[in-house]
Amino acid sequence: PVSLEATTTPTMLALRRTLPTVSRRVSRCMSTAEASDGSMTLNFSLPHETIYSEAKVSQVIVPGAAGEYGITADHVPIVAQLKPGVLQIMHEGGDPEKYFVAGGFSLTHENSVTDISCPEAVKLDDIDPTAISSNYEAAKSAFSSAEAGSIAAAEAQIDIEVNRAMGAAIGLSLS
């Protein structure tokens, strides 16, 4: 007779050790997926205001620095830096709510909760195209008169980029 220990390979030993852990993880994932109602929880905050706290939404489209992406219930956890652009919040059965954000961070947790923190956010409907054009021209002027490499030049460059992105968000072409 051949003993069981004599035929045990290192691969079999590794499987014996990891199988219970993998089984628990798969079981947890399956029970979470079955429990999901299709909505996610959104927390959207600015330094001076909370726009949403524990709001149930169907999807959020984020202007990530590495590219735009959508978040829905049961999304994998992710941390992303935001670039200036449009943040879209989809409510069940309604039109998307759109905000221009100047930057910030998005943190999606494994329990279908997403936290978005931005230094500033403005509803697209509240943006004045004339003010954007005027601010863009003022930023270009400040940049051209600033000393190369100075803080003033860097601040003007940021103003140019943010105003260009804000203009693009409302269909205004600035060059």
Side-chain angles (χ1 to χ4, degrees), residues 42 44 46 48-52 85-91 95-102 118 120-129 132 165-167 169-171:
L42 175 64
F44 181 22
L46 311 178
H48 59 278
E49 176 185 9
T50 297
I51 296 174
Y52 282 108
V86 178
L87 174 77
Q88 298 180 58
I89 301 168
M90 315 297 202
H91 299 278
D95 289 335
E97 187 175 2
K98 297 180 181 181
Y99 289 86
F100 177 82
V101 295
C118 299
E120 196 60 55
V122 180
K123 278 194 166 188
L124 286 191
D125 296 339
D126 295 340
I127 296 176
D128 178 6
I132 298 302
M166 197 177 294
I170 61 170

Side-chain angles (χ1 to χ4, degrees), residues 102-165:
F105 288 91
S106 173
L107 294 90
T108 299
H109 308 276
E110 74 178 33
N111 60 349
S112 294
V113 173
T114 294
D115 299 318
I116 297 176
S117 179
C118 299
E120 196 60 55
V122 180
K123 278 194 166 188
L124 286 191
D125 296 339
D126 295 340
I127 296 176
D128 178 6
T130 307
I132 298 302
S133 294
S134 173
N135 291 342
Y136 178 75
E137 291 303 323
K140 280 182 20 179
S141 176
F143 181 76
S144 64
S145 65
E147 183 181 330
S150 69
I151 291 175
E155 288 173 344
Q157 180 67 41
I158 291 168
D159 286 345
I160 289 170
E161 295 304 319
V162 168
N163 280 289
R164 184 180 290 141

